[in-house]
Amino acid sequence: PVGLRDKIGYALGDFSCTVSFSFTTSYAMLFFVTCMGIRPEHFAAIIMAVKIWDALTTPVVGSLCDMRTPGKTGKFKPWIKWGSIPLLISSVAMFVYVPGAPYAAKILLLTGLYMIWSVAFASVNVPYGSMNSLITQDPVERAELSTFRSIGAMAADAPVMVLVPLLIYDSSDNPKGASFFTVILVMGLIGFAAIQL
Protein backbone atom coordinates (compact mmCIF):
# COMPACT_ATOMS: atom_id res chain seq x y z
CA PRO A 1 0.00 0.00 0.00
CA VAL A 2 1.05 3.57 -0.68
CA GLY A 3 1.76 5.34 2.59
CA LEU A 4 2.23 8.95 3.64
CA ARG A 5 5.99 8.71 3.09
CA ASP A 6 5.42 7.73 -0.55
CA LYS A 7 3.00 10.60 -1.06
CA ILE A 8 5.36 13.16 0.48
CA GLY A 9 8.21 11.78 -1.61
CA TYR A 10 6.12 12.10 -4.75
CA ALA A 11 5.16 15.67 -3.79
CA LEU A 12 8.85 16.56 -3.38
CA GLY A 13 9.45 15.52 -6.99
CA ASP A 14 6.97 18.01 -8.37
CA PHE A 15 8.16 20.63 -5.89
CA SER A 16 11.63 20.33 -7.40
CA CYS A 17 10.51 20.45 -11.03
CA THR A 18 8.18 23.37 -10.41
CA VAL A 19 10.90 25.45 -8.70
CA SER A 20 13.00 25.31 -11.87
CA PHE A 21 10.10 25.56 -14.33
CA SER A 22 8.31 28.45 -12.62
CA PHE A 23 11.44 30.52 -12.09
CA THR A 24 12.68 30.00 -15.64
CA THR A 25 9.37 30.60 -17.41
CA SER A 26 8.36 33.52 -15.18
CA TYR A 27 11.62 35.46 -15.03
CA ALA A 28 13.71 34.60 -18.10
CA MET A 29 12.18 37.36 -20.22
CA LEU A 30 12.60 39.96 -17.49
CA PHE A 31 16.22 38.92 -16.97
CA PHE A 32 17.30 38.65 -20.59
CA VAL A 33 15.36 41.58 -22.04
CA THR A 34 15.49 44.10 -19.18
CA CYS A 35 18.73 43.18 -17.40
CA MET A 36 20.87 41.64 -20.16
CA GLY A 37 19.65 43.89 -22.98
CA ILE A 38 18.49 41.28 -25.50
CA ARG A 39 15.96 42.76 -27.90
CA PRO A 40 12.40 41.49 -27.29
CA GLU A 41 11.98 40.22 -30.84
CA HIS A 42 15.20 38.20 -30.57
CA PHE A 43 14.11 36.78 -27.23
CA ALA A 44 10.72 35.79 -28.67
CA ALA A 45 12.32 34.09 -31.69
CA ILE A 46 14.70 32.12 -29.46
CA ILE A 47 11.90 31.00 -27.15
CA MET A 48 9.82 29.88 -30.13
CA ALA A 49 12.77 27.91 -31.52
CA VAL A 50 13.42 26.32 -28.12
CA LYS A 51 9.75 25.33 -27.82
CA ILE A 52 10.04 23.54 -31.18
CA TRP A 53 13.25 21.90 -29.92
CA ASP A 54 11.36 20.88 -26.76
CA ALA A 55 8.51 19.39 -28.81
CA LEU A 56 11.05 17.26 -30.69
CA THR A 57 13.24 16.19 -27.77
CA THR A 58 10.65 15.45 -25.07
CA PRO A 59 9.17 12.41 -26.89
CA VAL A 60 12.72 11.14 -27.49
CA VAL A 61 13.49 11.43 -23.78
CA GLY A 62 10.22 9.64 -22.99
CA SER A 63 11.05 6.81 -25.40
CA LEU A 64 14.57 6.43 -24.01
CA CYS A 65 13.19 6.29 -20.48
CA ASP A 66 10.59 3.73 -21.45
CA MET A 67 13.10 1.49 -23.28
CA ARG A 68 15.43 1.32 -20.29
CA THR A 69 15.59 -2.06 -18.62
CA PRO A 70 14.64 -1.65 -14.96
CA GLY A 71 17.66 -1.87 -12.67
CA LYS A 72 18.02 -2.08 -8.91
CA THR A 73 16.37 1.32 -8.47
CA GLY A 74 13.78 0.82 -11.20
CA LYS A 75 13.32 2.20 -14.68
CA PHE A 76 12.83 5.88 -13.97
CA LYS A 77 14.75 6.79 -10.79
CA PRO A 78 18.20 6.84 -12.49
CA TRP A 79 16.87 9.35 -15.05
CA ILE A 80 15.54 11.54 -12.28
CA LYS A 81 18.68 11.27 -10.16
CA TRP A 82 21.19 11.99 -12.92
CA GLY A 83 18.97 14.40 -14.90
CA SER A 84 18.62 16.61 -11.84
CA ILE A 85 22.33 17.51 -12.04
CA PRO A 86 22.24 19.18 -15.49
CA LEU A 87 18.85 20.63 -14.57
CA LEU A 88 20.38 22.38 -11.56
CA ILE A 89 23.47 23.53 -13.47
CA SER A 90 21.57 24.83 -16.51
CA SER A 91 18.91 26.55 -14.34
CA VAL A 92 21.59 28.46 -12.46
CA ALA A 93 23.94 29.09 -15.41
CA MET A 94 21.12 30.60 -17.46
CA PHE A 95 20.94 33.51 -15.01
CA VAL A 96 24.62 34.44 -14.92
CA TYR A 97 24.61 38.23 -15.09
CA VAL A 98 27.04 39.46 -17.74
CA PRO A 99 25.49 42.66 -19.16
CA GLY A 100 28.80 43.75 -20.70
CA ALA A 101 29.19 40.59 -22.81
CA PRO A 102 29.02 40.94 -26.60
CA TYR A 103 25.46 40.74 -27.93
CA ALA A 104 26.18 37.55 -29.88
CA ALA A 105 27.50 35.90 -26.70
CA LYS A 106 24.28 36.81 -24.87
CA ILE A 107 22.22 35.27 -27.68
CA LEU A 108 24.34 32.10 -27.58
CA LEU A 109 24.10 31.95 -23.78
CA LEU A 110 20.32 32.21 -23.85
CA THR A 111 19.85 29.78 -26.74
CA GLY A 112 22.33 27.13 -25.64
CA LEU A 113 21.44 27.10 -21.97
CA TYR A 114 17.69 27.20 -22.62
CA MET A 115 18.03 24.20 -24.96
CA ILE A 116 20.10 22.29 -22.38
CA TRP A 117 17.63 23.24 -19.64
CA SER A 118 14.73 22.03 -21.79
CA VAL A 119 16.26 18.56 -22.27
CA ALA A 120 17.36 18.36 -18.62
CA PHE A 121 13.87 19.32 -17.45
CA ALA A 122 12.29 16.67 -19.69
CA SER A 123 14.77 14.04 -18.49
CA VAL A 124 13.58 14.62 -14.92
CA ASN A 125 9.91 15.53 -15.35
CA VAL A 126 8.89 12.89 -17.92
CA PRO A 127 10.10 9.86 -15.93
CA TYR A 128 8.87 11.47 -12.70
CA GLY A 129 5.34 11.76 -14.11
CA SER A 130 5.52 8.22 -15.50
CA MET A 131 6.36 6.76 -12.08
CA ASN A 132 2.76 7.22 -10.92
CA SER A 133 1.61 4.27 -13.01
CA LEU A 134 4.34 2.03 -11.58
CA ILE A 135 4.03 2.93 -7.91
CA THR A 136 0.54 1.48 -7.63
CA GLN A 137 -2.17 -0.12 -9.75
CA ASP A 138 -4.90 1.10 -7.39
CA PRO A 139 -6.78 4.02 -9.02
CA VAL A 140 -7.55 5.58 -5.63
CA GLU A 141 -3.87 5.55 -4.63
CA ARG A 142 -2.90 6.97 -8.03
CA ALA A 143 -5.38 9.80 -7.50
CA GLU A 144 -3.91 10.45 -4.04
CA LEU A 145 -0.39 10.56 -5.51
CA SER A 146 -1.60 13.03 -8.15
CA THR A 147 -3.11 15.18 -5.39
CA PHE A 148 0.19 15.22 -3.52
CA ARG A 149 1.96 16.03 -6.78
CA SER A 150 -0.26 19.11 -7.10
CA ILE A 151 0.46 20.06 -3.49
CA GLY A 152 4.20 19.85 -4.24
CA ALA A 153 3.76 22.10 -7.27
CA MET A 154 1.78 24.68 -5.31
CA ALA A 155 4.35 24.64 -2.49
CA ALA A 156 7.02 25.57 -5.05
CA ASP A 157 4.95 28.02 -7.08
CA ALA A 158 3.96 30.20 -4.13
CA PRO A 159 7.50 31.33 -3.16
CA VAL A 160 8.49 31.79 -6.80
CA MET A 161 5.52 34.10 -7.41
CA VAL A 162 5.40 35.85 -4.02
CA LEU A 163 8.92 35.95 -2.53
CA VAL A 164 11.11 36.21 -5.64
CA PRO A 165 9.79 39.66 -6.68
CA LEU A 166 10.72 40.94 -3.22
CA LEU A 167 14.30 39.78 -3.80
CA ILE A 168 14.96 40.75 -7.41
CA TYR A 169 13.62 44.33 -7.46
CA ASP A 170 15.26 47.36 -5.88
CA SER A 171 13.42 50.10 -3.97
CA SER A 172 12.60 51.86 -7.27
CA ASP A 173 11.01 48.67 -8.68
CA ASN A 174 13.86 48.05 -11.11
CA PRO A 175 15.09 44.45 -11.47
CA LYS A 176 18.55 43.83 -10.05
CA GLY A 177 20.33 41.65 -12.61
CA ALA A 178 22.85 40.14 -10.21
CA SER A 179 20.09 39.06 -7.79
CA PHE A 180 18.62 36.55 -10.25
CA PHE A 181 21.68 34.31 -10.04
CA THR A 182 21.71 34.25 -6.24
CA VAL A 183 17.98 33.57 -5.97
CA ILE A 184 17.95 30.73 -8.52
CA LEU A 185 21.08 29.24 -6.97
CA VAL A 186 19.41 29.01 -3.55
CA MET A 187 16.11 27.83 -4.99
CA GLY A 188 17.88 25.38 -7.30
CA LEU A 189 19.78 23.81 -4.42
CA ILE A 190 16.56 23.46 -2.43
CA GLY A 191 14.89 21.86 -5.46
CA PHE A 192 17.88 19.57 -6.02
CA ALA A 193 17.72 18.40 -2.40
CA ALA A 194 13.96 17.81 -2.75
CA ILE A 195 14.35 15.63 -5.86
CA GLN A 196 17.09 13.60 -4.22
CA LEU A 197 14.82 13.01 -1.21
Side-chain angles (χ1 to χ4, degrees):
V2 174
L4 183 61
R5 180 180 173 186
D6 302 302
K7 294 171 187 174
I8 292 170
Y10 203 62
L12 287 173
D14 214 70
F15 174 88
S16 178
C17 290
T18 302
V19 163
S20 179
F21 183 81
S22 289
F23 191 92
T24 301
T25 56
S26 298
Y27 299 108
M29 185 174 85
L30 177 66
F31 178 75
F32 280 101
V33 173
T34 306
C35 301
M36 293 283 282
I38 289 180
R39 289 168 43 187
E41 60 271 23
H42 293 163
F43 179 83
I46 290 166
I47 296 304
M48 186 168 59
V50 172
K51 292 300 177 189
I52 294 168
W53 164 260
D54 185 46
L56 297 172
T57 57
T58 298
V60 172
V61 169
S63 295
L64 291 172
C65 292
D66 198 43
M67 289 188 310
R68 186 180 194 282
T69 304
K72 187 170 63 172
T73 58
K75 181 185 277 196
F76 298 126
K77 280 186 183 178
W79 280 90
I80 296 166
K81 178 182 178 182
W82 296 110
S84 63
I85 297 169
L87 179 60
L88 171 64
I89 293 169
S90 59
S91 296
V92 173
M94 197 182 319
F95 291 94
V96 171
Y97 184 54
V98 284
Y103 193 76
K106 294 177 190 178
I107 294 290
L108 287 173
L109 177 76
L110 169 60
T111 306
L113 288 173
Y114 215 119
M115 290 174 79
I116 293 167
W117 175 84
S118 175
V119 173
F121 183 79
S123 70
V124 172
N125 199 48
V126 169
Y128 163 76
S130 300
M131 280 178 48
N132 189 334
S133 64
L134 298 180
I135 294 172
T136 179
Q137 298 301 316
D138 185 332
V140 174
E141 290 179 339
R142 284 185 182 177
E144 290 171 350
L145 286 170
S146 293
T147 299
F148 271 78
R149 181 180 185 175
S150 298
I151 291 168
M154 287 188 299
D157 230 0
V160 170
M161 295 300 139
V162 176
L163 294 179
V164 170
L166 300 174
L167 301 171
I168 61 171
Y169 287 97
D170 63 19
S171 58
S172 302
D173 290 332
N174 296 312
K176 302 178 288 185
S179 296
F180 287 79
F181 179 81
T182 305
V183 172
I184 190 60
L185 176 61
V186 172
M187 293 183 74
L189 290 171
I190 292 169
F192 182 77
I195 200 82
Q196 299 306 315
L197 289 172

XYZ file of all heavy atoms in Angstrom, residues 1-7 134-138 140-142 144-145:
138
model
N 0.828 -1.210 0.000
C 0.000 0.000 0.000
C 0.864 1.262 0.000
O 1.948 1.266 0.569
C -0.821 -0.130 1.275
C -0.080 -1.081 2.137
C 0.663 -1.996 1.220
N 0.353 2.281 -0.622
C 1.053 3.572 -0.682
C 0.799 4.311 0.631
O -0.345 4.540 1.007
C 0.563 4.400 -1.882
C 1.168 5.793 -1.858
C 0.904 3.697 -3.181
N 1.886 4.653 1.313
C 1.762 5.344 2.590
C 2.053 6.827 2.469
O 2.347 7.348 1.380
N 2.002 7.506 3.597
C 2.231 8.952 3.641
C 3.645 9.294 3.165
O 3.847 10.295 2.470
C 1.992 9.482 5.056
C 2.116 10.993 5.231
C 1.097 11.727 4.365
C 1.943 11.375 6.699
N 4.610 8.463 3.515
C 5.993 8.715 3.091
C 6.097 8.718 1.561
O 6.789 9.556 0.981
C 6.898 7.638 3.689
C 8.344 7.803 3.325
C 9.190 6.707 3.933
N 10.558 6.797 3.435
C 11.493 5.924 3.702
N 11.237 4.891 4.470
N 12.694 6.074 3.218
N 5.416 7.781 0.911
C 5.417 7.728 -0.553
C 4.802 8.995 -1.147
O 5.302 9.544 -2.130
C 4.619 6.505 -1.046
C 5.169 5.206 -0.517
O 6.354 4.921 -0.762
O 4.417 4.477 0.154
N 3.715 9.423 -0.542
C 3.004 10.604 -1.065
C 3.846 11.863 -0.899
O 3.918 12.696 -1.806
C 1.662 10.751 -0.349
C 0.689 9.616 -0.645
C -0.537 9.693 0.251
C -1.405 8.466 0.070
N -2.532 8.437 1.015
N 3.587 3.181 -12.065
C 4.341 2.027 -11.578
C 4.310 1.889 -10.058
O 4.563 0.813 -9.531
C 5.798 2.125 -12.039
C 6.033 2.115 -13.545
C 7.507 2.222 -13.848
C 5.453 0.861 -14.169
N 4.033 2.977 -9.375
C 4.030 2.935 -7.913
C 2.869 2.076 -7.411
O 3.011 1.313 -6.472
C 3.971 4.365 -7.328
C 5.262 5.117 -7.666
C 3.761 4.335 -5.817
C 5.231 6.592 -7.303
N 1.717 2.227 -8.051
C 0.541 1.475 -7.626
C -0.400 1.249 -8.814
O -0.442 2.066 -9.736
C -0.205 2.205 -6.491
O -1.352 1.439 -6.119
C -0.645 3.599 -6.907
N -1.134 0.152 -8.748
C -2.165 -0.125 -9.753
C -3.543 0.330 -9.257
O -4.501 0.327 -10.020
C -2.197 -1.632 -10.064
C -0.902 -2.173 -10.644
C -0.510 -1.489 -11.936
O -1.344 -1.261 -12.812
N 0.754 -1.117 -12.061
N -3.632 0.693 -7.995
C -4.895 1.101 -7.390
C -5.257 2.514 -7.857
O -4.511 3.464 -7.613
C -4.751 1.075 -5.859
C -6.051 1.379 -5.132
O -6.906 2.089 -5.687
O -6.205 0.908 -3.993
N -7.399 4.630 -6.739
C -7.553 5.584 -5.626
C -6.182 6.072 -5.169
O -5.973 7.271 -4.953
C -8.333 4.932 -4.455
C -8.353 5.862 -3.246
C -9.749 4.581 -4.887
N -5.217 5.159 -5.048
C -3.870 5.551 -4.631
C -3.203 6.413 -5.692
O -2.472 7.358 -5.356
C -3.029 4.305 -4.340
C -3.473 3.581 -3.080
C -2.664 2.332 -2.792
O -2.041 1.788 -3.723
O -2.661 1.895 -1.619
N -3.451 6.120 -6.961
C -2.904 6.974 -8.029
C -3.465 8.381 -7.933
O -2.742 9.368 -8.111
C -3.230 6.377 -9.405
C -2.382 5.206 -9.781
C -2.685 4.767 -11.194
N -1.888 3.610 -11.546
C -1.977 2.967 -12.701
N -2.823 3.377 -13.626
N -1.220 1.924 -12.954
N -4.513 9.815 -5.213
C -3.908 10.445 -4.041
C -2.493 10.929 -4.346
O -2.094 12.014 -3.917
C -3.885 9.455 -2.868
C -5.266 9.170 -2.302
C -5.275 8.037 -1.288
O -4.244 7.336 -1.151
O -6.313 7.854 -0.632
N -1.741 10.130 -5.109
C -0.392 10.561 -5.511
C -0.471 11.817 -6.377
O 0.336 12.734 -6.223
C 0.324 9.437 -6.262
C 0.825 8.273 -5.409
C 1.292 7.124 -6.302
C 1.950 8.716 -4.488
